[in-house]
Amino acid sequence: MQIPDAEQLLVQLTEQMRPHVRPSTCLVGIYTGGVWIAERLAMSLNLDQPVGSIDVSFYRDDYGRGAPLRRDLRRSNIPFEVEGAEIVIVDDVLYTGRTLRAALNELFDYGRPARVDVAVLADRGGRELPIAARFCPAEIPLAVGQTLQLTRDAEERLSLSLIEAK
Amino acid sequence: MTRNPQLNRHGELQHLLTIDGLPRNILERILDTAAPFTEVAEREVKKLPLLRGKSVFNLFFENSTRTRTTFEIAAKRLSADVINLNIATSSASKGESLLDTVDNLCAMQADMFIVRHASSGAPYLIAQHLAAQKREHIHVINAGDGRHAHPTQGLLDMYTIRHYKGAFNNLSVAIVGDILHSRVARSQIHALTTLGVPDVRVVGPKTLLPADVQRMGVHVFHNMRAGIKDVDVVMMLRLQNERMQGSLLPSGQEFFKFYGLTEEKLALARPDAIVLHPGPMNRGIEIDSAVADGSQAVILPQVTFGIAVRMAVMSMLAAT
């Protein structure tokens, strides 16, 4: 399967979002890939607000079902007023929707936003919750066991790769 | 070799009973996990859903307002239901045994016990009892047992030291005061040596130091000026009047003269040294007000970090 170039997807995502954002729009990236993308979007869309970041580990619905807490927990950081804000949650790949559900729950513990949208680089199908991305430049249907992974190199270039189950 | 009773068969923390014998990577894991929990206190809604639907029982066979309160806040910020049992004034005084009390609470679907007891080893006994009854899903946290251990206090002290000093491997740390009666001191010593602090000192009069304290890998000082010279961290202990039997000390004033931390004595430590105290403080006995309220004291941040550390421990236990 041909995996599209992440940098080209990012350009397309930026152009999809451009007519719909204002300088006051706030971006929240989901660790780790979502934060990389949100930082790039904020720059090219000339947004005024600093980018927020969320680690959804404390809100995951599979906590306490056998897996220990992740080792590399990150501190969520929401550097703007959530109350009344227009927010776009940014993630790299949309799959079951459970990560976004967790991110929404966490976000609402900071206040009541006026509006929340979702932006992702790619949708790989396999949704288990009624969640859709408003901004999404590519649909890449994958089988269970396959993973689409976003990486960032030393020059901060993004790339997507397909990982097959062992 | 038998397994450490605190770890499950995958090597994950099942109970927190003592720092003694816990590997360094688990201590570091707890400190790392605590860091993101500090952020919750800054939110509008100071709650995480990790322990939603779980019942946490505070089993305090010995009075302690502060420790019980910080455990209660930690559990509530994790969305648990918290039930406080002040056993000092309830069924135990009617003659019910410790394990009968535990069985009754298990029948009420307890998920976690936070245990404070005057007898060393009581939390172990409960953990063993739960294992024998195949109730491994119920977790036990030692909130202080006799003179033995107070692991979450030791861990929050380590979190505080790491917060201000960055690392452990180049530090001189002095623990000052009543080491003999102090479960806090024992937990601190195990934590400091396990985390690789090269110079751990205990400072106190002979009557308030355990006879075998050197075997714990510490340097012993009876003179406070020598003991805190050039240290990076001064950990004061509370003089435990209620645990004293007989005349180990002439008087509080006498103690203050030799072992009370004053600005003048603190000047012997490094200029950027920090001062810790587990609370509650006896001002004018082990610590002078000028030091307790001074710029080098990190006593109130200890309390705040303590909530994050207890949230981390509870979350790690409940995840297994």
Side-chain angles (χ1 to χ4, degrees):
Chain A
M1 178 184 297
Q2 186 64 37
I3 302 298
D5 175 62
E7 288 292 333
Q8 277 176 17
L9 289 180
L10 182 57
V11 172
Q12 293 171 32
L13 178 62
T14 312
E15 294 320 311
Q16 275 187 18
M17 290 173 70
R18 197 181 297 281
H20 302 283
V21 297
R22 296 189 285 183
S24 62
T25 301
C26 301
L27 302 186
V28 175
I30 298 177
Y31 273 116
T32 310
V35 177
W36 297 336
I37 299 166
E39 284 166 353
R40 295 276 298 275
L41 287 169
M43 240 183 328
S44 39
L45 293 168
N46 287 317
L47 304 182
D48 294 341
Q49 298 291 334
V51 170
S53 48
I54 275 187
D55 184 328
V56 297
S57 302
F58 294 152
Y59 288 79
R60 291 189 61 92
D61 56 13
D62 53 1
Y63 168 80
R65 292 172 180 263
L69 267 183
R70 252 192 26 246
R71 284 202 91 87
D72 53 337
L73 295 174
R74 249 76 50 103
R75 186 186 301 246
S76 293
N77 175 33
I78 308 293
F80 48 80
E81 185 68 48
V82 168
E83 194 72 33
E86 292 187 3
I87 294 173
V88 183
I89 300 181
V90 183
D91 202 359
D92 43 16
V93 178
L94 180 53
Y95 182 21
T96 61
R98 287 175 193 269
T99 300
L100 278 167
R101 201 258 345 161
L104 276 169
N105 282 25
E106 175 155 5
L107 197 58
F108 275 72
D109 281 351
Y110 288 87
R112 179 179 183 274
R115 178 187 177 96
V116 182
D117 285 306
V118 171
V120 294
L121 277 193
D123 179 350
R124 57 152 294 174
R127 208 83 72 250
E128 293 168 1
L129 292 173
I131 280 175
R134 184 179 185 201
F135 309 111
C136 173
E139 287 185 11
I140 309 170
L142 295 184
V144 175
Q146 292 179 309
T147 309
L148 206 50
Q149 193 180 50
L150 185 74
T151 50
R152 187 168 78 165
D153 67 16
E155 277 92 50
E156 306 210 335
R157 252 196 317 271
L158 300 175
S159 54
L160 275 173
S161 48
L162 183 64
I163 297 178
E164 300 284 348
K166 277 173 229 151
Chain B
M1 204 179 92
T2 53
R3 200 173 71 211
N4 186 325
Q6 305 183 88
L7 305 180
N8 68 13
R9 59 181 182 282
H10 307 296
E12 291 152 3
L13 206 59
Q14 160 92 4
H15 307 292
L16 179 63
L17 307 174
T18 174
I19 291 175
D20 188 12
L22 280 187
R24 178 171 180 163
N25 69 330
I26 293 218
L27 299 190
E28 286 172 343
R29 179 92 189 268
I30 295 170
L31 302 185
D32 291 346
T33 304
F37 284 106
T38 57
E39 172 267 332
V40 177
E42 296 154 24
R43 299 183 184 190
E44 172 155 333
V45 179
K46 295 176 185 49
K47 251 189 199 316
L48 298 175
L50 289 176
L51 264 61
R52 196 161 68 95
K54 304 281 184 200
S55 300
V56 174
F57 281 77
N58 265 333
L59 271 174
F60 278 59
F61 295 88
E62 190 183 70
N63 286 323
S64 159
T65 308
R66 175 179 330 221
T67 302
R68 204 208 63 212
T69 308
T70 49
F71 269 110
E72 183 173 350
I73 293 170
K76 284 183 169 168
R77 289 204 180 146
L78 293 170
S79 308
D81 294 312
V82 184
I83 299 95
N84 287 315
L85 285 128
N86 197 352
I87 318 263
T89 57
S90 77
S91 30
S93 57
K94 296 178 188 158
E96 187 175 68
S97 81
L98 173 65
L99 297 181
D100 279 337
T101 303
V102 167
D103 286 343
N104 272 278
L105 299 176
C106 288
M108 300 177 200
Q109 274 77 40
D111 294 292
M112 193 177 285
F113 292 121
I114 317 287
V115 183
R116 157 73 59 104
H117 203 288
S119 302
S120 303
Y124 266 105
L125 193 65
I126 294 173
Q128 269 174 353
H129 179 70
L130 293 172
Q133 299 199 323
K134 302 262 174 283
R135 288 188 165 131
E136 273 99 350
H137 61 284
I138 304 180
H139 307 280
V140 179
I141 298 178
N142 182 0
D145 60 332
R147 295 182 187 183
H148 171 238
H150 192 351
T152 56
Q153 178 71 46
L155 287 164
L156 77 88
D157 292 337
M158 298 309 115
Y159 188 93
T160 308
I161 292 172
R162 196 173 73 167
H163 177 85
Y164 289 100
K165 295 294 168 191
F168 294 101
N169 57 11
N170 52 357
L171 293 182
S172 267
V173 179
I175 304 171
V176 183
D178 178 5
I179 315 277
L180 179 67
H181 297 93
S182 178
R183 53 193 172 210
V184 173
R186 277 173 189 73
S187 289
Q188 288 169 339
I189 293 169
H190 288 303
L192 290 166
T193 52
T194 304
L195 288 167
V197 173
D199 182 21
V200 182
R201 310 174 181 187
V202 296
V203 184
K206 276 202 181 88
T207 50
L208 294 181
L209 292 178
D212 58 347
V213 67
Q214 263 129 335
R215 260 191 279 157
M216 297 177 78
V218 298
H219 304 113
V220 179
F221 290 84
H222 300 303
N223 180 309
M224 184 159 175
R225 288 168 202 281
I228 67 170
K229 177 128 180 56
D230 295 330
V231 296
D232 302 281
V233 180
V234 184
M235 306 177 85
M236 297 305 296
L237 296 171
R238 189 170 66 88
L239 195 61
Q240 308 212 21
N241 291 312
E242 72 276 19
R243 283 182 222 284
M244 299 260 184
Q245 283 150 8
S247 52
L248 292 170
L249 275 183
S251 72
Q253 287 80 2
E254 187 95 342
F255 186 83
F256 182 71
K257 186 175 162 203
F258 290 103
Y259 297 102
L261 186 62
T262 57
E263 286 186 310
E264 179 248 331
K265 285 188 198 126
L266 182 57
L268 297 166
R270 289 177 58 96
D272 61 349
I274 54 171
V275 177
L276 287 78
H277 192 297
M281 284 187 286
N282 298 310
R283 287 170 187 259
I285 306 275
E286 73 261 356
I287 189 163
D288 191 40
S289 274
V291 175
D293 304 327
S295 62
Q296 287 170 271
V298 295
I299 297 165
L300 294 176
Q302 278 178 275
V303 178
T304 308
F305 293 147
I307 293 170
V309 167
R310 287 174 176 126
M311 288 171 78
V313 170
M314 289 182 190
S315 305
M316 286 173 65
L317 296 185
T320 64

PDB file of all heavy atoms in Angstrom, chain B residues 222-234:
ATOM      1  N   HIS B 222      27.088  12.986  66.213  1.00  0.00           N
ATOM      2  CA  HIS B 222      26.391  13.407  67.427  1.00  0.00           C
ATOM      3  C   HIS B 222      26.449  14.927  67.575  1.00  0.00           C
ATOM      4  O   HIS B 222      25.696  15.509  68.329  1.00  0.00           O
ATOM      5  CB  HIS B 222      26.995  12.725  68.664  1.00  0.00           C
ATOM      6  CG  HIS B 222      26.900  11.234  68.581  1.00  0.00           C
ATOM      7  ND1 HIS B 222      25.688  10.579  68.421  1.00  0.00           N
ATOM      8  CD2 HIS B 222      27.844  10.261  68.594  1.00  0.00           C
ATOM      9  CE1 HIS B 222      25.904   9.278  68.356  1.00  0.00           C
ATOM     10  NE2 HIS B 222      27.194   9.062  68.447  1.00  0.00           N
ATOM     11  N   ASN B 223      27.378  15.545  66.848  1.00  0.00           N
ATOM     12  CA  ASN B 223      27.513  16.995  66.874  1.00  0.00           C
ATOM     13  C   ASN B 223      26.820  17.573  65.639  1.00  0.00           C
ATOM     14  O   ASN B 223      27.178  17.267  64.504  1.00  0.00           O
ATOM     15  CB  ASN B 223      29.002  17.365  66.874  1.00  0.00           C
ATOM     16  CG  ASN B 223      29.206  18.864  66.895  1.00  0.00           C
ATOM     17  OD1 ASN B 223      28.635  19.592  66.083  1.00  0.00           O
ATOM     18  ND2 ASN B 223      30.034  19.330  67.828  1.00  0.00           N
ATOM     19  N   MET B 224      25.824  18.413  65.865  1.00  0.00           N
ATOM     20  CA  MET B 224      25.029  18.895  64.737  1.00  0.00           C
ATOM     21  C   MET B 224      25.831  19.787  63.797  1.00  0.00           C
ATOM     22  O   MET B 224      25.661  19.731  62.580  1.00  0.00           O
ATOM     23  CB  MET B 224      23.813  19.654  65.243  1.00  0.00           C
ATOM     24  CG  MET B 224      22.912  20.098  64.100  1.00  0.00           C
ATOM     25  SD  MET B 224      21.276  20.433  64.682  1.00  0.00           S
ATOM     26  CE  MET B 224      20.494  21.072  63.220  1.00  0.00           C
ATOM     27  N   ARG B 225      26.718  20.615  64.363  1.00  0.00           N
ATOM     28  CA  ARG B 225      27.501  21.516  63.508  1.00  0.00           C
ATOM     29  C   ARG B 225      28.347  20.729  62.514  1.00  0.00           C
ATOM     30  O   ARG B 225      28.411  21.065  61.331  1.00  0.00           O
ATOM     31  CB  ARG B 225      28.383  22.422  64.365  1.00  0.00           C
ATOM     32  CG  ARG B 225      27.572  23.470  65.077  1.00  0.00           C
ATOM     33  CD  ARG B 225      28.393  24.195  66.153  1.00  0.00           C
ATOM     34  NE  ARG B 225      27.491  24.769  67.123  1.00  0.00           N
ATOM     35  CZ  ARG B 225      26.816  25.896  66.934  1.00  0.00           C
ATOM     36  NH1 ARG B 225      26.984  26.581  65.821  1.00  0.00           N
ATOM     37  NH2 ARG B 225      25.981  26.333  67.836  1.00  0.00           N
ATOM     38  N   ALA B 226      28.974  19.659  63.007  1.00  0.00           N
ATOM     39  CA  ALA B 226      29.764  18.814  62.097  1.00  0.00           C
ATOM     40  C   ALA B 226      28.838  18.083  61.135  1.00  0.00           C
ATOM     41  O   ALA B 226      29.153  17.920  59.954  1.00  0.00           O
ATOM     42  CB  ALA B 226      30.592  17.809  62.911  1.00  0.00           C
ATOM     43  N   GLY B 227      27.680  17.669  61.645  1.00  0.00           N
ATOM     44  CA  GLY B 227      26.771  16.839  60.848  1.00  0.00           C
ATOM     45  C   GLY B 227      26.132  17.560  59.678  1.00  0.00           C
ATOM     46  O   GLY B 227      25.848  16.941  58.647  1.00  0.00           O
ATOM     47  N   ILE B 228      25.880  18.864  59.807  1.00  0.00           N
ATOM     48  CA  ILE B 228      25.232  19.533  58.671  1.00  0.00           C
ATOM     49  C   ILE B 228      26.205  20.411  57.878  1.00  0.00           C
ATOM     50  O   ILE B 228      25.802  21.100  56.955  1.00  0.00           O
ATOM     51  CB  ILE B 228      23.995  20.358  59.103  1.00  0.00           C
ATOM     52  CG1 ILE B 228      24.372  21.563  59.958  1.00  0.00           C
ATOM     53  CG2 ILE B 228      22.989  19.496  59.829  1.00  0.00           C
ATOM     54  CD1 ILE B 228      23.177  22.493  60.163  1.00  0.00           C
ATOM     55  N   LYS B 229      27.488  20.312  58.198  1.00  0.00           N
ATOM     56  CA  LYS B 229      28.479  21.115  57.464  1.00  0.00           C
ATOM     57  C   LYS B 229      28.467  20.736  55.981  1.00  0.00           C
ATOM     58  O   LYS B 229      28.603  19.575  55.617  1.00  0.00           O
ATOM     59  CB  LYS B 229      29.861  20.866  58.074  1.00  0.00           C
ATOM     60  CG  LYS B 229      30.985  21.586  57.366  1.00  0.00           C
ATOM     61  CD  LYS B 229      31.826  22.404  58.367  1.00  0.00           C
ATOM     62  CE  LYS B 229      32.969  23.132  57.671  1.00  0.00           C
ATOM     63  NZ  LYS B 229      32.537  24.012  56.573  1.00  0.00           N
ATOM     64  N   ASP B 230      28.243  21.730  55.135  1.00  0.00           N
ATOM     65  CA  ASP B 230      28.311  21.590  53.672  1.00  0.00           C
ATOM     66  C   ASP B 230      27.282  20.634  53.072  1.00  0.00           C
ATOM     67  O   ASP B 230      27.477  20.156  51.954  1.00  0.00           O
ATOM     68  CB  ASP B 230      29.725  21.159  53.235  1.00  0.00           C
ATOM     69  CG  ASP B 230      30.772  22.216  53.539  1.00  0.00           C
ATOM     70  OD1 ASP B 230      30.405  23.406  53.537  1.00  0.00           O
ATOM     71  OD2 ASP B 230      31.927  21.846  53.802  1.00  0.00           O
ATOM     72  N   VAL B 231      26.195  20.344  53.790  1.00  0.00           N
ATOM     73  CA  VAL B 231      25.194  19.459  53.174  1.00  0.00           C
ATOM     74  C   VAL B 231      24.302  20.256  52.214  1.00  0.00           C
ATOM     75  O   VAL B 231      24.179  21.481  52.305  1.00  0.00           O
ATOM     76  CB  VAL B 231      24.301  18.733  54.221  1.00  0.00           C
ATOM     77  CG1 VAL B 231      25.141  17.803  55.086  1.00  0.00           C
ATOM     78  CG2 VAL B 231      23.507  19.720  55.056  1.00  0.00           C
ATOM     79  N   ASP B 232      23.685  19.525  51.268  1.00  0.00           N
ATOM     80  CA  ASP B 232      22.761  20.123  50.300  1.00  0.00           C
ATOM     81  C   ASP B 232      21.325  20.104  50.808  1.00  0.00           C
ATOM     82  O   ASP B 232      20.495  20.892  50.372  1.00  0.00           O
ATOM     83  CB  ASP B 232      22.799  19.340  48.977  1.00  0.00           C
ATOM     84  CG  ASP B 232      24.189  19.294  48.389  1.00  0.00           C
ATOM     85  OD1 ASP B 232      24.596  20.284  47.787  1.00  0.00           O
ATOM     86  OD2 ASP B 232      24.873  18.251  48.553  1.00  0.00           O
ATOM     87  N   VAL B 233      21.051  19.147  51.689  1.00  0.00           N
ATOM     88  CA  VAL B 233      19.676  18.963  52.158  1.00  0.00           C
ATOM     89  C   VAL B 233      19.701  18.675  53.656  1.00  0.00           C
ATOM     90  O   VAL B 233      20.470  17.821  54.107  1.00  0.00           O
ATOM     91  CB  VAL B 233      18.987  17.778  51.430  1.00  0.00           C
ATOM     92  CG1 VAL B 233      17.551  17.593  51.934  1.00  0.00           C
ATOM     93  CG2 VAL B 233      19.002  17.964  49.916  1.00  0.00           C
ATOM     94  N   VAL B 234      18.887  19.397  54.422  1.00  0.00           N
ATOM     95  CA  VAL B 234      18.720  19.114  55.851  1.00  0.00           C
ATOM     96  C   VAL B 234      17.293  18.613  56.050  1.00  0.00           C
ATOM     97  O   VAL B 234      16.330  19.319  55.748  1.00  0.00           O
ATOM     98  CB  VAL B 234      18.936  20.369  56.723  1.00  0.00           C
ATOM     99  CG1 VAL B 234      18.856  19.995  58.204  1.00  0.00           C
ATOM    100  CG2 VAL B 234      20.269  21.022  56.406  1.00  0.00           C
TER     101      VAL B 234
END
